[in-house]
Amino acid sequence: MKNILTCLLPIFIIVSCSSEKLDREKALKLLQESHQSQSATYNIFVSDPMYAKRMLDAGLESEGLLTVQRTQSLGDAGKPLITFTERGKTYLVPQTEEDKKDNIQRVKIADEAIEEVTGIQMSDGDKKAVVEYTTSYKNVTPFAKLSKRKLDEKGSHKANFVLYDDGWRMQK
C-alpha cells in the first residue's frame, strides 16, 4: 500500500500542476491587465467650421472648455477655429504627427472599464478559451455630448486566450 502511494503521489502532483484551468477570476485579472484603462475618444477637426458650430451647439464654449473663433479672414484660412482653455486641456489626448498635420485634436469622452466575465468557452482540449465579458463607461467627460455612443449601456466583447507552458495569455 505504501509503495502504491509513493508511486501515485508524483503522478497526482504532475497532473494537478499541468492542468491550469481558466476560471472567471483569472480571466478577469488577465483582461484587466491587458485592457490598461482604455479611453473612448472623439476627434475634433479644429479648423473645420462645421466642428466649430458643433462645439457651440453642444454648449462647450459656454462651459469654459474651449473658445471658438467666429470670424476668420482669408489669410487665416486653414488655421484653427477652436482653441481649448486650461479647463478643456485636461481632457485632451496627445496628438500624433498625423493629427497635427490634419488639424485633429482628440478629446477623451470616457474611460472604458471591464465589468465582469460573463462566460468562458473552452476548446482544443482545454488549451484555448473564448472569454465573453462586459464593459461600461466611467468618468464621463463634458465632451461626451459630441459622441453618438450610448455611454450608459454595457458593451459585450469577446477575447481569445491560449494556454502556454507558463500560463494563460490573451491573443491580440
Side-chain angles (χ1 to χ4, degrees):
M1 184 72 167
K2 199 173 192 181
N3 271 346
I4 294 172
L5 284 177
T6 55
C7 291
L8 291 177
L9 184 62
I11 294 171
F12 286 130
I13 291 172
I14 291 170
V15 169
S16 66
C17 290
S18 66
S19 63
E20 189 175 341
K21 187 85 171 151
L22 183 65
D23 59 2
R24 288 180 187 226
E25 284 181 34
K26 189 177 292 185
L28 181 62
K29 183 180 175 195
L30 291 169
L31 284 167
Q32 288 171 335
E33 287 172 1
S34 67
H35 198 257
Q36 297 292 324
S37 72
Q38 291 182 345
S39 295
T41 61
Y42 183 82
N43 293 341
I44 297 176
F45 292 82
V46 294
S47 299
D48 188 335
M50 297 284 285
Y51 277 82
K53 181 176 178 348
R54 192 175 292 164
M55 299 305 122
L56 292 171
D57 291 345
L60 296 174
E61 186 177 50
S62 61
E63 289 182 32
L65 296 168
L66 50 84
T67 57
V68 176
Q69 183 180 349
R70 287 175 173 66
T71 59
Q72 194 174 47
S73 67
L74 200 54
D76 292 335
K79 291 186 179 173
L81 294 169
I82 302 166
T83 54
F84 295 89
T85 63
E86 288 303 314
R87 184 168 170 238
K89 287 180 181 177
T90 60
Y91 303 110
L92 299 183
V93 176
Q95 285 181 303
T96 64
E97 288 302 316
E98 192 172 322
D99 288 347
K100 288 178 186 176
K101 185 177 75 175
D102 294 335
N103 282 330
I104 297 172
Q105 177 60 63
R106 290 182 292 135
V107 292
K108 178 177 150 183
I109 58 171
D111 291 323
E112 188 177 20
I114 296 174
E115 286 288 312
E116 66 176 329
V117 172
T118 56
I120 300 174
Q121 184 178 15
M122 304 297 291
S123 64
D124 198 19
D126 289 347
K127 301 240 186 269
K128 292 183 179 184
V130 176
V131 175
E132 296 178 14
Y133 62 98
T134 57
T135 59
S136 66
Y137 291 100
K138 306 214 185 290
N139 304 324
V140 178
T141 73
F143 288 99
K145 300 174 196 177
L146 302 170
S147 176
K148 292 181 179 160
R149 293 184 189 190
K150 296 179 181 176
L151 299 176
D152 55 341
E153 294 180 4
K154 289 186 178 187
S156 182
H157 307 279
K158 291 183 181 183
N160 296 315
F161 286 84
V162 177
L163 180 61
Y164 288 88
D165 60 343
D166 62 341
W168 287 95
R169 291 189 212 163
M170 191 168 105
Q171 283 186 319
K172 300 282 176 179

